[in-house]
Amino acid sequence: MPYIFRLLEVMTNSFHSFTMFSTSLLLLLLAAVSCVHCVELTQPGSMVTNPGQSMSLTCKVSGYSLTDSSYCTDWIRQPAGKALEWIGGICGDGSTEYSDKLKSRFEVTRDTSSSTVTLRGQNMQTGDTAVYYCARVSQ
């Protein structure tokens, strides 16, 4: 989006003397970039757990169905200063896949009636400290 607004700024400056034209062009371009079929995944804020405890994170999805076989909803995490790490996910047919390293402690489930995907972790350790993300993945 920043590039679009920069483009609009340049175009608006170029057509400065044609105020009516630039305003119409601006509105036309903004209409062209508006989202028709938006996908949104909403997660809660931060949470803290003590070592050995369990945790649960829920991701609310909109713009696609959790039963659509074209997509999976995955969970990934990123510890501070480190690379992203895939945890696991659940696909439209209900099948799940997990990282070999994490599958013994994490579970991904879904509730199609509320369009939510939940990540549950057991026996959380300090090494599990990270930013957790949910993401839609095409199959």
Side-chain angles (χ1 to χ4, degrees):
M1 282 297 251
Y3 299 109
I4 293 169
F5 288 115
R6 180 68 184 136
L7 172 64
L8 294 176
E9 180 184 332
V10 170
M11 292 177 79
T12 302
N13 289 339
S14 298
F15 299 109
H16 185 62
S17 60
F18 302 102
T19 307
M20 185 71 112
F21 176 75
S22 63
T23 303
S24 299
L25 180 62
L26 176 64
L27 292 174
L28 178 63
L29 286 172
L30 286 176
V33 298
S34 67
C35 184
V36 176
H37 296 286
C38 296
V39 172
E40 185 174 44
L41 293 88
T42 308
Q43 298 173 241
S46 62
M47 68 177 297
V48 177
T49 61
N50 292 319
Q53 287 186 327
S54 298
M55 69 95 178
S56 180
L57 298 173
T58 300
C59 176
K60 172 98 171 141
V61 309
S62 63
Y64 72 101
S65 170
L66 292 175
T67 59
D68 186 334
S69 61
S70 301
Y71 304 110
C72 298
T73 304
D74 287 8
W75 284 91
I76 56 177
R77 69 182 183 181
Q78 187 169 29
K82 295 187 179 175
L84 290 168
E85 179 179 31
W86 178 72
I87 301 167
I90 189 163
C91 296
D93 64 1
S95 63
T96 54
E97 276 192 62
Y98 297 95
S99 157
D100 287 338
K101 174 183 165 187
L102 301 171
K103 67 182 174 186
S104 65
R105 296 190 304 114
F106 287 90
E107 177 186 29
V108 179
T109 59
R110 70 180 182 189
D111 180 346
T112 56
S113 64
S114 62
S115 296
T116 56
V117 177
T118 300
L119 174 69
R120 289 184 180 86
Q122 303 173 15
N123 191 25
M124 300 299 287
Q125 301 300 317
T126 55
D128 294 315
T129 301
V131 177
Y132 288 75
Y133 302 96
C134 59
R136 184 184 78 166
V137 179
S138 296
Q139 277 198 292

